Amino acid sequence: MAGLVPAIHVLFSGHRKDVDARHKAGHDGLGVRLRRYGRRTVLALPAAVISFLVSSAPAFADLKLCNRMSYVVEAAIGIDDKAATATRGWFRIDPAACRVVAQGTLSADRILLNARALGVYGASPIPQNGGDTLCVASDDFVIAAARQCRTGQTPAPFAQITPTRTDDGNLVAYLAEDSEYDDEQAKLAGIQRLLVIAGYDAAPIDGVDGPKTQAALAAFLKNRGLTADIVQAPNFFTAMIDAVQAPSSTGLTWCNDTRHKIMAAVATDDGKAVVSRGWYRIDPGKCLHPDVIGAPKQIFSFAEAVDGENRTIKLKDKPLNWGGPTPLCTRESKFETTEQGDCGSRGFATTGFTAVDMSGGGKTLRFAMP
């Protein structure tokens, strides 16, 4: 099911817009590949919606980022000074939460930002954009000279941001989607999104509470052995993500038992058409539920291990992948297609998928080294 892809904005402190009906629930967990999978691996910060509106004075107080998106994000900042450009990350920020990312007086000509969604959402769902290319690492990092990447570092686009000075003298920037959720709406939309990934009907993902969302949340908490009071706990999103990433008795679950990152695609056959879509990112040691909705007559799966540059990993000159004999269409970047014939003429590749036996109501596919 195709969904509206939101943009990410940096908003002023105190900015709010009340919204009723927002974007319809959709498939936002598609992975995007580098080289074979494209180069979109982090959330976007379109330059058109970002401006540098604070004083040009070089001294700043504590810098805080606040997340008004429906995704748990990890942020990296860039400090651009005359002599050098440094980056540091990753700072995890839950929906409706804030995080201090730089403490004390900060001397900088510009402040830059890069953000990415957690792997539970598949590859980052929002196309990236940014005017500066700086170096990052996969895990927590501090890079003093961030314009020339070294071993273990990869280039990523950073966008210049505009923090707003608050009454206490600190600076704050809000990360937001086109829907412009307030804190309460962002938290609820974040819950709805994870419920949909886990296979519960909490659509639409709109940040609006109602019986449908409450019933889905109650069923999720009961089935995962969680109490209702955890919703108000500071670690709620951590607990929810851990539960979502655990194998489920219903639906399809992918689990990555390798030390490599895995990119996966799913296809469904409802008896009328076969729809293939990808890519989903599955981090090492994690599980992921592709958002398969309805009751398809058949489900198909393909997965492939990739390295830090998202190149296909080979063992004995053979790609490390998990597929099968059913030929379906895929392409290197994010895709969803109902056309499965003549893949090449439409810019797609023919990829062998395996049929998944869902007769028991649920199936966990574990990807392991041969």
Side-chain angles (χ1 to χ4, degrees), residues 197-209:
I197 291 173
Y200 295 80
D201 187 3
I205 301 169
D206 57 6
V208 177
D209 200 2

Side-chain angles (χ1 to χ4, degrees), residues 64-305:
K64 181 167 62 175
L65 296 178
C66 295
N67 181 10
R68 286 183 173 171
M69 303 183 70
S70 58
Y71 302 89
V72 178
V73 302
E74 292 178 322
I77 62 169
I79 307 301
D80 193 8
D81 206 357
K82 294 185 176 80
T85 302
T87 56
R88 68 182 78 166
W90 296 96
F91 302 95
R92 172 173 161 155
I93 315 173
D94 293 342
C98 297
R99 179 84 180 266
V100 173
V101 297
Q103 293 181 314
T105 301
L106 182 64
S107 177
D109 295 320
R110 297 188 305 153
I111 300 176
L112 308 166
L113 177 68
N114 171 291
R116 65 185 187 184
L118 294 189
V120 69
Y121 303 106
S124 284
I126 304 174
Q128 66 183 8
N129 198 345
D132 289 74
T133 299
L134 305 178
C135 303
V136 300
S138 58
D139 299 319
D140 293 348
F141 66 91
V142 176
I143 301 174
R147 291 196 179 274
Q148 293 184 339
C149 300
R150 297 170 176 80
T151 302
Q153 302 172 3
T154 56
F158 279 68
Q160 186 172 299
I161 66 169
T162 306
T164 299
R165 194 174 299 279
T166 59
D167 293 340
D168 60 7
N170 293 318
L171 296 174
V172 63
Y174 289 89
L175 307 183
E177 299 175 39
D178 286 338
S179 301
E180 296 188 3
Y181 301 120
D182 61 22
D183 286 341
E184 182 180 353
Q185 293 164 344
K187 181 175 181 179
L188 185 57
I191 293 171
Q192 290 170 329
R193 189 172 297 284
L194 288 171
L195 287 172
V196 170
I197 291 173
Y200 295 80
D201 187 3
I205 301 169
D206 57 6
V208 177
D209 200 2
K212 189 176 180 182
T213 295
Q214 289 299 318
L217 179 58
F220 172 82
L221 294 175
K222 179 180 179 181
N223 293 341
R224 303 306 170 96
L226 301 173
T227 59
D229 58 358
I230 197 172
V231 177
Q232 303 304 323
N235 66 335
F236 171 62
F237 276 99
T238 297
M240 192 171 188
I241 287 172
D242 288 344
V244 168
Q245 289 181 320
S248 174
S249 60
T250 60
L252 174 62
T253 304
W254 288 313
C255 289
N256 181 359
D257 293 335
T258 78
R259 65 180 182 276
H260 306 292
K261 180 172 62 177
I262 287 177
M263 305 300 290
V266 67
T268 57
D269 182 359
D270 63 1
K272 298 179 180 178
V274 178
V275 180
S276 59
R277 62 177 179 264
W279 298 92
Y280 298 82
R281 185 182 79 240
I282 313 167
D283 292 328
K286 302 296 184 179
C287 296
L288 179 69
H289 307 280
D291 49 345
V292 175
I293 62 172
K297 295 183 177 181
Q298 184 66 70
I299 294 178
F300 303 88
S301 170
F302 173 81
E304 185 171 58

